[in-house]
């Protein structure tokens, strides 16, 4: 049995070990439209459930996405997408990271010149001065380890990197992304490939929340800040996109921090905030509390371990309050920080999707925001693989991006 098959086995059976807990992440509860009895092929010393229900949706997959799945050998006969095990209690969420997750950023191994990556590309296009780069002429599945190390460095510097015209199966997307850190499955996923989540506007509208023109999705955010170790690089691949519209925007946390005055930076440096999960959970030990979000405390200014630069680490949906400030004070400071991040157009980039495009971004130093201007008149379907990075930390001696690059700080 291969390692990846073992991970999938642990996922389906909820084996009570740190590894299985780490894999079994889920943030939505769904009702099945199809059920398969999945029985173990081997015997394990750790007790497991002898029969595990696999749950599937009954959504009609877009034609291009179906062709991609079938080419990759994905079994769609049971339905699409597949739903992972439900998380009901906050203790189950805490068990996803019961202890430190081993992580070493591959960007630290890379040459700053990135000759292996840039030398093989037909062209390297920077979208803006502060955020976003497109690499032309390379297939992600064919990158060497050295090139992937250099890509990790580039993502940490530029925030988000794009590759068009990718011939990439869900399994290849998973394998490429696993180079950047431990993979963290979430949401409904490709059948039989729990590490690869389904990102699909029609599914979200039917199963999670139907967006409206005035209140679309989450707005500017970064993902899963309620974990002790937050996300590092995320890899989103779209096989089906609208003919126009449906762009995604990114903003640089490095540049957002630099937009603050030096005295204001000193005020927020070292401060921490309570950050919450998007979903709410019951407390197994206290049934009277009802459903509550999971909370975690992180610095609002963190330092990226690869670049060594300070970056702003707040986002409107999930950052609740700054510790040590009165609520009115915290609200005022956070609103200002949110506005700097969201409304400063010269620290942002906007990406126009074409079918078969991959985006890899660093959740530690960016926010992102998906445009829903197409309002599900047409579909947008893709797959996503996310990795876990280090526990956020602050270092008072770290430079800003502009200081490190020798730019004026004014």
């Amino acid at each position: 049995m291969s390692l990846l098959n073992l991970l999938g086995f642990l996922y389906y059976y909820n084996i009570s070990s740190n590894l299985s807990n780490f894999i079994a992440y889920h943030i939505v509860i769904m009702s099945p439209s199809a059920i398969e009895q999945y029985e173990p092929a081997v015997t394990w010393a750790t007790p497991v459930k002898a029969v595990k229900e696999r749950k599937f949706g009954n959504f009609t997959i877009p034609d291009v996405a179906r062709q991609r799945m079938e080419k990759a050998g994905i079994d769609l006969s049971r339905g699409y997408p597949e739903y992972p095990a439900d998380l009901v209690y906050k203790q189950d969420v805490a068990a996803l990271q019961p202890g430190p997750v081993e992580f070493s950023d591959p960007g630290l191994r890379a040459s700053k010149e990135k000759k292996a990556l840039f030398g093989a590309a037909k062209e390297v296009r920077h979208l803006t001065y502060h955020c976003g780069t497109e690499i032309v002429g390379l297939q992600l599945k064919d990158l060497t380890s050295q090139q992937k190390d250099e890509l990790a460095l580039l993502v940490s510097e530029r925030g988000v990197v794009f590759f068009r015209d990718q011939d990439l199966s869900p399994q290849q997307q998973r394998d490429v992304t696993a180079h950047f850190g431990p993979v963290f499955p979430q949401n409904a996923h490709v059948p039989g490939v729990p590490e690869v989540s389904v990102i699909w506007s029609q599914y979200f509208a039917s199963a999670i929340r139907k967006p409206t023109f005035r209140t679309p999705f989450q707005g500017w955010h970064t993902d899963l800040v309620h974990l002790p170790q937050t996300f590092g690089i995320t890899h989103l691949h779209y096989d089906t996109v609208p003919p126009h519209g449906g762009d995604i925007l990114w903003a640089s946390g490095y540049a957002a921090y630099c937009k603050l005055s030096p005295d204001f930076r000193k005020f927020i440096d070292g401060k921490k905030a309570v950050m919450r999960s998007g979903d709410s959970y019951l407390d197994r030990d206290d049934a009277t509390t009802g459903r509550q979000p999971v909370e975690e405390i992180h610095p609002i200014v963190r330092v990226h371990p690869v670049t060594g630069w300070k970056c702003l680490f707040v986002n409107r949906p999930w950052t609740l309050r700054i510790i040590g400030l009165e609520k009115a004070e915290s609200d005022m400071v956070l609103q200002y920080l949110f506005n700097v991040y969201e409304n400063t157009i010269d620290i942002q980039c906007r990406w126009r999707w074409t079918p078969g495009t991959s985006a890899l971004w660093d959740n530690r130093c960016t926010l992102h925001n998906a445009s829903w201007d197409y309002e599900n008149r047409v579909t947008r379907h893709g797959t996503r693989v996310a990795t876990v990075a280090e526990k956020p930390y602050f270092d008072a001696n770290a430079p800003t991006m502009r200081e490190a690059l020798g730019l004026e700080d004014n």
Side-chain angles (χ1 to χ4, degrees), residues 225 228 265-276 295-303 311-315 318-326 329-331 333-334 337-338 391-396:
V225 293
R265 293 178 210 156
K266 292 178 182 177
F267 173 72
I268 65 172
D269 278 358
K271 286 187 168 50
K272 297 181 178 181
V274 177
M275 305 191 186
R276 71 174 183 88
E295 296 181 352
E296 185 65 46
I297 296 174
H298 292 307
I300 62 175
V301 178
R302 69 186 295 175
V303 174
C311 58
L312 193 58
F313 190 63
V314 297
N315 70 101
W318 318 133
T319 306
L320 291 180
R321 61 188 181 276
I322 298 174
I323 294 173
L325 300 185
E326 297 293 336
E329 298 168 337
S330 174
D331 290 348
V333 172
L334 286 175
L337 296 178
F338 298 153
K391 183 176 177 63
Y393 68 93
F394 174 73
D395 180 356

Side-chain angles (χ1 to χ4, degrees), residues 53-69:
E53 291 183 343
R54 294 177 65 188
K55 304 177 183 180
F56 300 84
N58 59 0
F59 298 90
T60 302
I61 185 171
D63 289 341
V64 174
R66 174 178 288 277
Q67 293 167 12
R68 178 183 172 222
M69 299 296 165

Side-chain angles (χ1 to χ4, degrees), residues 303-359:
V303 174
H304 198 293
V306 176
T307 62
W309 305 339
K310 292 178 181 176
C311 58
L312 193 58
F313 190 63
V314 297
N315 70 101
R316 191 180 298 273
W318 318 133
T319 306
L320 291 180
R321 61 188 181 276
I322 298 174
I323 294 173
L325 300 185
E326 297 293 336
K327 182 181 185 304
E329 298 168 337
S330 174
D331 290 348
M332 181 172 59
V333 172
L334 286 175
Q335 287 300 317
Y336 177 69
L337 296 178
F338 298 153
N339 288 334
V340 169
Y341 228 142
E342 298 171 357
N343 300 329
T344 309
I345 61 173
D346 59 355
I347 68 171
Q348 300 172 2
C349 69
R350 184 177 186 123
W351 181 251
R352 170 75 183 93
W353 295 93
T354 52
T357 296
S358 282

Side-chain angles (χ1 to χ4, degrees), residues 337-384:
L337 296 178
F338 298 153
N339 288 334
V340 169
Y341 228 142
E342 298 171 357
N343 300 329
T344 309
I345 61 173
D346 59 355
I347 68 171
Q348 300 172 2
C349 69
R350 184 177 186 123
W351 181 251
R352 170 75 183 93
W353 295 93
T354 52
T357 296
S358 282
L360 294 93
W361 71 88
D362 197 320
N363 287 276
R364 295 168 288 186
C365 59
T366 61
L367 297 185
H368 58 280
N369 190 1
S371 170
W372 195 64
D373 56 345
Y374 61 100
E375 298 182 58
N376 281 13
R377 297 182 183 95
V378 292
T379 194
R380 182 175 66 179
H381 175 279
T383 50
R384 181 176 67 186

